[in-house]
Amino acid sequence: MPLPYAELEAYGRVTGRLSTPWEYETVRGMSEAYVSGLVEGRDLLSIMPLDRE
């Protein structure tokens, strides 16, 4: 499951590392891509990212 916005907001507030909306959207997008890659990687017939064009 990708990181929920509530957790991103809490992280940004506590650490001060996320301060603009685009930073939150970027981290959320990275989280979604990571989870998608994990799910896809479970498929034994999946094409490795390095082999894709």
Side-chain angles (χ1 to χ4, degrees):
M1 168 183 256
L3 291 171
Y5 283 105
E7 287 188 30
L8 288 174
E9 192 275 329
Y11 173 79
R13 188 172 8 93
V14 170
T15 65
R17 292 183 179 215
L18 301 175
S19 58
T20 61
W22 73 265
E23 290 174 320
Y24 285 96
E25 291 299 322
T26 301
V27 172
R28 172 63 185 209
M30 291 168 56
S31 177
E32 290 173 357
Y34 177 79
V35 171
S36 176
L38 283 178
V39 171
E40 186 178 339
R42 292 182 184 137
D43 180 3
L44 296 177
L45 300 176
S46 174
I47 299 171
M48 292 177 42
L50 293 174
D51 295 335
R52 297 178 190 168
E53 292 185 23

